[in-house]
């Protein structure tokens, strides 16, 4: 009996001690959360440059009045594809990659709860994005009716070509991938935490992803339904949105924005979690108001569902509807303000140092607040009539999304890359990357406020000469911002290959182990971790809730 047990144990050990498979097959069939997280992050970085290249085409065309480089239909394809690629190909997958890497490490889990589904959701993402990209090479070109796919415009043959069904199928694949990822994250957080970790002990990044997971499950089917109705209107002669058949195009706007507004917060909430993780470590203080940060995140997610029609003030609605959506939108400023106040209070009187992740985090707090204020301006219905469909809107949402989502993805990269690789990145080049990005992003987007207030419409390849100067400045900022991101690509590759040659400690950052479980693991993180759940959970970040 003893021999049998020993033999069994021996085989069990063999099974559990295996490392990664060799060769390309490792990456195709892997179920390891770190491998899948890496694939998400690499794919998102590639799509960031693809979407960014499309933005450069847009800014090159708008550098001066007149048509220079591309015809109007291709210009509209670029604006549509830039948005879809950045949202579904870059920002969302990048945050899913961070979730895959960090959540099991942060909560003391050996892997994600559903590892095979994790692998499948990644490859569905790749299939969906490739299908979307393939429309660029189809007769009639990629969809060029805008990323909102508004009918009746998007149903016109001249604006859709043969690409619509492929774009719709792509949306379905991306939606299935997102929902599978969200289910996996929720199942992991709720079932696989270390026994000693209560819900109110979890790092804020885990909390924000738990809430984001529920948002994804709630809204992605809504978008899938809307685009499927578009498809049946186009090919099966239904009339959901066709006014000639008794349908209503405004119905599509309601359905789309019921998805679209929470979608903004799907790209923002994990950002809040990253900032709440980085700022306390470099301020050398616990996060101020941990519990209020959790509740504020939940409040923002709830309010995101009941304000969708502020996108539609000009589409026509009763005065009572305008008043409701105006005030409901304004209320979001309260929980958002709680977060900004708590980040500021965390930094207040802290022993701060300004390494690259902290610089990006501070820039995020300042610039995101500016973007939030312009959102508050647009929530006022009478004012929105002036701003609607002008470049002021473009400036607002780019001020919100680029310094928030993109900057904090960069911050997360600098923050966790040494932990993942065991090597320190080049701090001087990192700081150069930050300053070039922070300055150029303002040169790029701030003039667009003036363009919008002066009345320049969005989504146009040509414009009146009075808009020339600010457009030229904006384009110059765009080119500098785009080129400076190559520094980040260099840093990532350089760090993976050894970086400065400086080996980092387990904590990487001073006293980081007081703030999270992941900093108690070796650097680089072993292929298998937490095969035994940790007994003690660091709680410095939650002191105020005890």
């Amino acid at each position: 009996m003893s021999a049998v047990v020993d033999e069994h144990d021996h085989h069990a050990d063999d099974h559990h001690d295996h490392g990664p498979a060799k060769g390309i097959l490792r990456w195709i069939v892997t179920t390891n959360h770190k491998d899948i997280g890496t694939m998400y992050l690499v794919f998102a970085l590639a799509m960031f440059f693809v979407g960014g290249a499309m933005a450069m085409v847009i800014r090159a065309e708008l550098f001066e009045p007149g048509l220079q480089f591309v015809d109007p239909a291709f210009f509209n394809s670029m604006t549509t594809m830039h948005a879809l690629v950045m949202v579904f190909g870059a920002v969302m997958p990048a945050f899913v990659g961070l979730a895959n890497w960090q959540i099991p490490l942060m909560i003391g889990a050996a892997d994600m709860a559903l590892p095979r589904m994790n692998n499948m959701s990644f490859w569905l993402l790749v299939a969906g994005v490739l299908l979307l990209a393939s429309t660029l090479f189809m007769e009639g070109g990629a969809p060029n009716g805008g990323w909102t796919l508004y009918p009746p415009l998007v149903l016109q043959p001249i604006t859709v070509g043969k690409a619509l069904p492929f774009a719709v199928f792509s949306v379905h694949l991306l939606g299935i991938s997102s929902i599978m990822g969200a289910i996996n994250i929720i199942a992991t957080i709720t079932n696989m935490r270390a026994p000693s970790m209560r819900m109110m002990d979890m790092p804020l990044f885990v909390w924000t992803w738990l809430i984001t997971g529920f948002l994804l499950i709630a809204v992605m089917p809504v978008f899938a339904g809307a685009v499927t109705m578009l498809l049946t209107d186009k090919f099966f002669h239904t009339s959901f949105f066709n006014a000639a058949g008794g349908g209503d195009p405004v119905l599509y706007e309601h359905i789309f924005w019921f998805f679209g507004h929470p979608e903004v917060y799907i790209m923002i909430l994990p950002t809040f979690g990253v900032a709440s993780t980085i700022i306390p470590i470099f301020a050398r203080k616990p996060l101020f108001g941990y519990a209020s940060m959790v509740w504020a995140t939940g409040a923002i997610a709830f309010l995101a569902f009941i304000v969708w029609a502020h996108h539609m003030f000009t589409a026509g609605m009763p005065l009572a509807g305008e008043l409701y959506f105006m005030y409901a939108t304004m209320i979001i400023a309260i929980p958002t303000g709680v977060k900004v106040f708590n980040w500021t209070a965390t930094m207040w009187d802290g022993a701060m140092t300004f390494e690259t992740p902290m610089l990006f985090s501070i820039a995020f707090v300042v610039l995101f607040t500016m973007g939030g204020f312009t959102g508050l301006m647009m929530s006022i219905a009478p004012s929105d009539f002036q701003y609607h469909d002008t470049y002021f809107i473009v400036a607002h949402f780019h001020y919100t999304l680029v310094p928030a989502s993109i900057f904090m993805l960069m911050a997360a990269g600098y923050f966790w890359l040494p932990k993942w690789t065991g090597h320190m990145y080049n701090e001087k080049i990192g700081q150069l990357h930050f300053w070039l990005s922070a300055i150029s992003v303002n040169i790029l987007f701030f003039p667009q406020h003036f363009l919008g207030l002066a009345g320049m419409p969005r989504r146009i390849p040509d414009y009146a000469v009075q808009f020339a100067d600010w457009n030229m400045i904006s384009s110059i900022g765009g080119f500098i911002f785009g080129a400076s991101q190559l520094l980040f690509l260099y840093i990532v590759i350089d760090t993976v290959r050894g970086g400065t040659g400086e080996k980092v400690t387990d904590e990487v950052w001073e006293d980081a182990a007081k703030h999270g479980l992941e900093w108690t693991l070796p650097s680089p993180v072993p292929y298998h971790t937490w095969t035994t759940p940790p007994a003690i959970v660091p709680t410095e970040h939650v002191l105020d809730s005890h």
Side-chain angles (χ1 to χ4, degrees), residues 414-460:
Y414 286 107
F415 186 60
W416 281 311
L417 201 55
K419 186 71 195 171
W420 298 337
T421 63
H423 305 123
M424 182 52 74
Y425 62 86
N426 189 317
E427 181 66 33
K428 285 184 180 176
I429 300 179
Q431 299 226 354
L432 176 65
H433 172 225
F434 164 74
W435 286 110
L436 283 173
S437 298
I439 293 169
S440 61
V441 83
N442 286 289
I443 299 172
L444 169 58
F445 294 122
F446 205 79
Q448 294 178 5
H449 292 106
F450 305 137
L451 290 169
L453 291 173
M456 178 173 163
R458 59 193 287 203
R459 303 190 184 101
I460 55 169

Side-chain angles (χ1 to χ4, degrees), residues 156-455:
Q156 306 304 311
I158 194 170
T159 57
V160 73
K162 295 182 177 178
L164 181 64
F166 293 91
V168 169
F169 188 45
S170 166
V171 167
H172 285 158
L173 288 178
L174 296 171
I176 294 168
S177 168
S178 297
I179 290 171
M180 289 166 70
I183 290 171
N184 213 345
I185 288 168
I186 292 170
T188 305
I189 295 171
T190 52
N191 292 304
M192 298 180 68
R193 295 192 314 278
S196 57
M197 180 177 278
R198 303 173 308 165
M199 292 291 280
M200 292 303 280
D201 290 338
M202 296 194 308
L204 247 296
F205 180 71
V206 180
W207 260 115
T208 52
W209 245 117
L210 179 64
I211 294 168
T212 302
F214 284 108
L215 276 181
L216 274 166
I217 292 172
V219 302
M220 291 308 293
V222 177
F223 189 34
V227 295
T228 304
M229 291 154 82
L230 272 183
L231 201 66
T232 60
D233 271 9
K234 175 70 178 175
F235 294 103
F236 299 102
H237 308 296
T238 57
S239 296
F240 294 110
F241 312 124
N242 180 4
D248 183 1
V250 177
L251 171 65
Y252 179 86
E253 294 189 37
H254 279 289
I255 299 173
F256 177 85
W257 285 115
F258 187 79
F259 147 80
H261 195 77
E263 171 65 24
V264 174
Y265 290 95
I266 287 169
M267 293 188 285
I268 292 291
L269 292 185
T271 289
F272 294 164
V274 175
S276 301
T277 305
I278 293 176
I279 289 173
I281 288 181
F282 290 96
R284 291 166 179 77
K285 285 173 62 184
L287 181 68
F288 183 87
Y290 169 88
S292 63
M293 291 292 249
V294 173
W295 289 110
T297 307
I300 291 170
F302 170 74
L303 292 170
F305 280 105
I306 59 171
V307 300
W308 76 90
H310 67 221
H311 293 269
M312 302 165 55
F313 284 144
T314 58
M317 71 175 69
L319 180 61
E322 288 184 3
L323 287 170
Y324 163 74
F325 284 108
M326 182 171 78
Y327 290 129
T329 305
M330 287 178 176
I331 289 172
I332 294 186
I334 296 173
T336 309
V338 168
K339 287 186 166 294
V340 172
F341 176 80
N342 286 3
W343 289 320
T344 308
T346 304
M347 289 186 276
W348 184 264
D349 210 22
M352 291 203 294
T353 53
F354 299 96
E355 288 87 344
T356 309
M358 186 61 167
L359 289 175
F360 271 107
S361 301
I362 294 171
F364 151 71
V365 174
V366 174
L367 298 178
F368 175 74
T369 304
M370 290 172 61
F373 272 125
T374 54
L376 203 55
M377 291 166 66
M378 291 184 304
S379 69
I380 302 168
S383 301
D384 184 71
F385 277 68
Q386 306 302 313
Y387 306 134
H388 191 78
D389 264 348
T390 69
Y391 253 80
F392 194 88
I393 308 292
V394 179
H396 157 69
F397 69 74
H398 279 96
Y399 245 95
T400 308
L401 287 176
V402 178
S405 296
I406 302 296
F407 271 27
M408 289 315 296
L409 283 167
M410 299 292 178
Y414 286 107
F415 186 60
W416 281 311
L417 201 55
K419 186 71 195 171
W420 298 337
T421 63
H423 305 123
M424 182 52 74
Y425 62 86
N426 189 317
E427 181 66 33
K428 285 184 180 176
I429 300 179
Q431 299 226 354
L432 176 65
H433 172 225
F434 164 74
W435 286 110
L436 283 173
S437 298
I439 293 169
S440 61
V441 83
N442 286 289
I443 299 172
L444 169 58
F445 294 122
F446 205 79
Q448 294 178 5
H449 292 106
F450 305 137
L451 290 169
L453 291 173

Side-chain angles (χ1 to χ4, degrees), residues 507-520:
E507 288 188 303
V508 180
W509 312 107
E510 186 181 320
D511 288 337
K514 293 179 181 175
H515 295 263
L517 277 172
E518 72 270 33
W519 307 107
T520 63

Side-chain angles (χ1 to χ4, degrees), residues 1-11:
M1 183 63 189
S2 174
V4 172
V5 171
D6 288 342
E7 187 179 355
H8 174 78
D9 288 347
H10 178 70
H11 287 308

